[in-house]
């Protein structure tokens, strides 16, 4: 009888401990899910570069073109109507003291009539961008503001969850800006 009680207690404890494991999705699950997607489009950003010494249009054009090349290399094709993945870029080129240098979050409370969208997004913008209001992604770490850096989010259009956030520890130099930006973005995509 004592052996039966001991066996039952051990069995109950084992079952209880076994059921306590986390079944929440992980970053690896997100990357696996991301690999099953085929199409992408961009969400416009509101991160206009205020530094007058830098050319906002040229910088953003280079970023968008380089991301497009990397997305195609990863096997994605552009679909502006119903993309699987939305690409959102945080270009951080202003001096830290001149901006609110909080960590990078992703939300879209600013989409309203008259919102300016740079011409560099014209051919790559998700046509229903204005329907995206709030993005989640609890497993994605915040990125502290660093001057002359870029953060790229890949977001599931259906769930509005960030699947992947990429950045680099390097700082983009200002001497050969176009080349530096292309190398920086290419480096970010190596982690994908």
């Amino acid at each position: 009888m004592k052996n039966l009680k001991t066996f039952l207690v051990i069995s109950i404890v084992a079952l209880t401990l076994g059921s306590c494991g986390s079944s929440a999705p992980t970053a690896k699950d997100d990357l696996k899910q991301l690999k099953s997607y085929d199409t992408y489009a961009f969400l416009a950003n509101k991160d206009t570069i205020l530094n007058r010494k830098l050319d906002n249009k040229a910088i953003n054009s280079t970023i968008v073109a380089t991301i497009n090349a990397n997305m195609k290399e990863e096997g994605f094709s552009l679909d502006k109507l119903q993309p699987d993945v939305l690409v959102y870029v945080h270009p951080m080129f202003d001096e830290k003291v001149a901006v609110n240098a909080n960590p990078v979050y992703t939300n879209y409370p600013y989409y309203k009539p008259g919102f300016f969208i740079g011409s560099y997004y014209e051919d790559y913008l998700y046509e229903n961008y204005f329907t995206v209001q709030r993005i989640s992604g609890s497993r994605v770490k915040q990125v502290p503001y660093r001057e002359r850096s870029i953060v790229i989010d890949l977001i599931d259009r259906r769930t509005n969850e960030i699947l992947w956030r990429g950045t680099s520890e390097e700082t983009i130099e200002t001497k050969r800006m176009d080349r530096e930006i292309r190398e920086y973005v290419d480096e970010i995509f190596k982690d994908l």
Side-chain angles (χ1 to χ4, degrees):
M1 185 71 162
K2 186 174 182 179
N3 287 340
L4 180 61
K5 285 182 183 179
T6 305
F7 175 75
L8 286 174
V9 169
I10 291 173
S11 296
I12 291 171
V13 169
L15 286 172
T16 303
L17 291 175
S19 66
C20 291
S22 174
S23 61
T26 64
K28 287 183 180 181
D29 294 334
D30 289 342
L31 282 176
K32 186 176 180 182
Q33 182 180 2
L34 185 59
K35 295 293 184 188
S36 69
Y37 293 153
D38 299 318
T39 59
Y40 76 100
F42 280 83
L43 285 175
N45 65 44
K46 65 175 184 172
D47 298 324
T48 302
I49 299 166
L50 303 174
N51 187 334
R52 294 178 191 253
K53 297 176 187 172
L54 301 175
D55 184 347
N56 181 62
K57 185 175 180 179
I59 289 171
N60 278 295
S61 294
T62 302
I63 292 169
V64 169
T66 309
I67 290 173
N68 273 323
N70 278 280
M71 291 297 284
K72 288 177 183 172
E73 191 173 301
E74 291 290 331
F76 289 89
S77 60
L78 182 67
D79 179 356
K80 295 174 10 178
L81 293 174
Q82 291 187 333
D84 298 324
V85 175
L86 299 172
V87 179
Y88 185 77
V89 182
H90 306 267
M92 300 182 290
F93 283 78
D94 291 316
E95 292 179 23
K96 196 172 186 177
V97 295
V99 297
N100 180 2
N102 288 330
V104 172
Y105 296 93
T106 303
N107 59 21
Y108 306 90
Y110 55 88
Y111 284 139
K112 31 187 141 156
F115 172 67
F116 172 76
I117 297 174
S119 58
Y120 34 87
Y121 284 118
E122 205 168 83
D123 296 330
Y124 313 106
L125 186 66
Y126 172 45
E127 290 189 1
N128 292 322
Y129 71 90
F130 52 85
T131 63
V132 179
Q133 294 296 320
R134 193 132 334 253
I135 297 298
S136 61
S138 58
R139 293 176 306 278
V140 178
K141 293 182 180 176
Q142 299 168 10
V143 178
Y145 190 95
R146 284 189 335 275
E147 295 172 30
R148 295 190 320 276
S149 65
I150 301 168
V151 177
I152 302 170
D153 289 337
L154 299 184
I155 302 162
D156 183 315
R157 178 186 57 85
R158 290 171 196 87
T159 64
N160 287 347
E161 286 192 22
I162 299 173
L163 297 172
W164 179 79
R165 172 169 280 175
T167 190
S168 174
E169 297 299 318
E170 302 295 318
T171 299
I172 297 170
E173 298 301 323
T174 56
K175 289 183 181 177
R176 296 179 299 239
M177 184 75 76
D178 283 354
R179 178 180 169 192
E180 289 282 330
I181 290 171
R182 286 192 301 274
E183 289 174 358
Y184 190 93
V185 172
D186 289 343
E187 188 67 29
I188 290 172
F189 272 88
K190 284 182 183 177
D191 292 335
L192 183 65

